[in-house]
Amino acid sequence: MAAEKPLRLWTFAALALATSLALSACGRDGGDGGPPERGDQAVAKVDGKTVWASDVKREAIAQGLIGEGEPLDVSSDLFRRVLDEVVDQKLLATEALKRKLDKDPVAQRRLAAARERILGDMLVESVVSDAVNDNAIRGLYQEQLKLAKRTEEIRARQIVVATIAEADQVRKLLASGASFEALAMERSTDAATRFNGGDLGYFTTDVMPEAYDAALKGAAPGSIVGPFQVEAGWALVKVEDRRDEQPISLEEARPQIVRFLTYDQIRDLLEKLRSRSKVQVLVKADGPRPPPPADAPKVAPQPAPAAPAAGATK
């Protein structure tokens, strides 16, 4: 005996949307024309009507299972699970039509709301796809780079010991020609850096404890600074390099820029639509109006992490 298919729970809103999709499909030459998108793939048929890969992907995006623009492999378990849900939606919608539920006034309002939501989403997608292009992304990136204040980064190694006497002893060994990296591995108590020769990677002094900022100010590459007192004891630091802070790359900044440009386009579109429409809100809010979303994300050069990983480089 075949195992029973688990029952899924559907909200009235989902049923209304499914009915809306079925209604729109029925109006297109019997609901089974050509592929809705270039390169689309037929993945199922429900009572003779085709389910396309794009239908499944759209449902996965709507559920937040994948992001806009992310691929969804038709052979994956996720695709098959969402496909089953799309098939169920179509079966439920077809049965709702047979029972003439679409004629109910409440259903009509819900279908109208679903239609408005879909049309609004399509308008936003159209506006965003035209405006958020590679030229716009690169333009904003370059603009942010020009506005960015770039600070200096230091690459250094450290040895941390418990007492000033130990620090002085290590300093004498270094003066006699001992390897800083070897002494770091042998003597340093800083577990995060000792096994990598004390390497702190590149950092800006503003993210380090104040003692480092004071000790490293003006220290030239190749010099050894200290000992100076730190929270864990006494530190000796070898300055290896100084350079201008490296900006975040375009590819790293791209997701932030796309989010900002998308928000900017939607905001401008809604401002234009509201300016030429008459909108009357007939109810009063209990509390103050919520603040608008945050302004543009920073895509300019980013500071180093507060605690650079051992051996980290940019």
Side-chain angles (χ1 to χ4, degrees):
M1 182 175 177
E4 291 185 6
K5 189 176 181 180
L7 179 64
R8 293 187 179 87
L9 300 178
W10 299 90
T11 65
F12 287 112
L15 179 57
L17 181 55
T19 309
S20 174
L21 293 171
L23 283 169
S24 61
C26 290
R28 294 196 309 265
D29 300 325
D32 201 29
E37 298 181 8
R38 181 180 297 178
D40 218 339
Q41 179 181 349
V43 292
K45 280 187 176 288
V46 181
D47 293 330
K49 295 183 177 66
T50 303
V51 179
W52 298 94
S54 60
D55 299 328
V56 180
K57 185 175 179 181
R58 195 180 308 113
E59 178 64 21
I61 293 170
Q63 293 187 27
L65 300 174
I66 62 172
E68 190 70 49
E70 287 185 35
L72 181 57
D73 189 343
V74 295
S75 63
S76 66
D77 291 339
L78 175 60
F79 185 93
R80 184 53 189 266
R81 177 162 64 84
V82 180
L83 172 59
D84 283 343
E85 294 178 7
V86 171
V87 169
D88 287 348
Q89 284 180 358
K90 290 186 177 294
L91 292 172
L92 288 168
T94 301
E95 182 63 23
L97 290 173
K98 287 179 181 177
R99 298 185 185 191
K100 301 188 185 303
L101 294 181
D102 58 307
K103 306 301 182 185
D104 183 275
V106 174
Q108 290 287 337
R109 290 190 63 80
R110 291 182 180 178
L111 288 169
R115 182 175 181 273
E116 289 175 355
R117 190 178 306 113
I118 292 168
L119 288 172
D121 288 346
M122 291 181 70
L123 173 62
V124 167
E125 289 171 12
S126 174
V127 170
V128 167
S129 66
D130 290 341
V132 183
N133 53 47
D134 198 57
N135 285 339
I137 292 169
R138 289 180 180 276
L140 182 55
Y141 175 75
Q142 293 299 329
E143 180 183 329
Q144 290 295 302
L145 286 185
K146 290 176 183 176
L147 295 173
K149 180 181 178 182
R150 297 175 66 178
T151 56
E152 187 181 48
E153 291 181 320
I154 298 173
R155 184 175 184 182
R157 295 178 184 271
Q158 71 171 358
I159 299 172
V160 180
V161 292
T163 67
I164 183 64
E166 290 177 274
D168 286 337
Q169 186 181 23
V170 170
R171 179 82 194 205
K172 290 176 182 177
L173 290 171
L174 291 170
S176 66
S179 164
F180 194 99
E181 292 87 338
L183 285 175
M185 296 183 70
E186 180 184 343
R187 300 285 189 98
S188 183
T189 60
D190 181 42
T193 61
R194 66 174 292 191
F195 295 111
N196 200 30
D199 194 0
L200 289 165
Y202 280 98
F203 57 89
T204 54
T205 55
D206 61 310
V207 302
M208 299 293 284
E210 190 175 338
Y212 287 84
D213 189 8
L216 296 176
K217 190 171 294 183
S223 63
I224 295 175
V225 178
F228 57 91
Q229 194 165 17
V230 296
E231 185 176 346
W234 293 82
L236 288 152
V237 176
K238 180 182 179 182
V239 178
E240 302 221 322
D241 188 25
R242 303 182 82 106
R243 69 179 188 185
D244 285 340
E245 184 181 7
Q246 300 299 293
I248 184 172
S249 71
L250 173 61
E251 290 312 306
E252 290 173 313
R254 186 178 293 272
Q256 292 178 320
I257 296 173
V258 168
R259 282 195 298 272
F260 170 68
L261 290 174
T262 299
Y263 159 71
D264 202 40
Q265 289 298 314
I266 295 171
R267 181 193 60 193
D268 288 349
L269 174 62
L270 287 172
E271 284 179 355
K272 289 175 184 176
L273 294 174
R274 282 179 175 267
S275 69
R276 62 179 185 235
S277 303
K278 186 177 181 181
V279 178
Q280 291 178 289
V281 179
L282 304 178
V283 293
K284 291 184 178 180
D286 292 335
R289 189 171 181 177
D295 205 347
K298 293 181 180 178
V299 298
Q302 302 295 298
T313 57
K314 282 194 161 187

